[in-house]
Amino acid sequence: MIQLKPGGVYLYSPKGIDRERLMLVTSAAGICDSRRRFITGLTVLAAPDGDTLTVPITVGGARRYVNTTQPMRLIRDWFLEDHGTISPQELEAVRAMRRLAEDL
């Protein structure tokens, strides 16, 4: 099992669904380090989607985007590959936009 961390970007492959995608883990370190089956994350997009609550991030030297309006509960066992970690400043920007998105 992959060791998940806040701000980590991972390949996620839901069982029974043929749709792998990159996900950004947004759960706190205590949740990531726990034995909880679920963590919280956001889908990493290849292109901006035009939403004002989308945050640009850098993953593996490539520009990517995270729409903060659609958090998901993700099953820990379905993470396959570590693709790197975003900067602390980017993670804080994602969390700040996430707080704004909660007002929708």
Side-chain angles (χ1 to χ4, degrees), residues 15-36:
K15 302 291 185 235
I17 301 172
D18 189 24
R19 187 172 168 233
E20 292 182 346
R21 60 188 175 266
L22 289 180
M23 300 299 295
L24 171 68
V25 171
T26 58
S27 289
I31 299 299
C32 290
D33 293 340
S34 76
R35 294 180 182 247
R36 292 185 177 272

Side-chain angles (χ1 to χ4, degrees), residues 1 22 25 29 31 34 39 41 57 62 64 78 80 87 91 102:
M1 184 178 342
L22 289 180
V25 171
I31 299 299
S34 76
I39 56 99
I57 61 172
R64 299 286 186 248
W78 294 356
L80 300 179
S87 72
L91 181 57
E102 289 176 1

Side-chain angles (χ1 to χ4, degrees), residues 4-13 20-28 32 38-45 53-60 64-75 79 81-98:
L4 302 175
K5 57 187 172 260
V9 176
Y10 304 91
L11 183 63
Y12 185 72
S13 182
E20 292 182 346
R21 60 188 175 266
L22 289 180
M23 300 299 295
L24 171 68
V25 171
T26 58
S27 289
C32 290
F38 296 98
I39 56 99
T40 305
L42 297 162
T43 303
V44 176
L45 308 169
L53 296 175
T54 295
V55 178
I57 61 172
T58 302
V59 180
R64 299 286 186 248
Y65 303 86
V66 177
N67 184 318
T68 61
T69 64
Q70 300 172 6
M72 291 190 245
R73 280 182 58 174
L74 304 167
I75 297 176
F79 286 93
E81 298 173 356
D82 186 343
H83 281 250
T85 304
I86 65 174
S87 72
Q89 295 83 7
E90 289 172 323
L91 181 57
E92 182 50 40
V94 167
R95 287 182 169 159
M97 286 297 206
R98 185 63 217 121

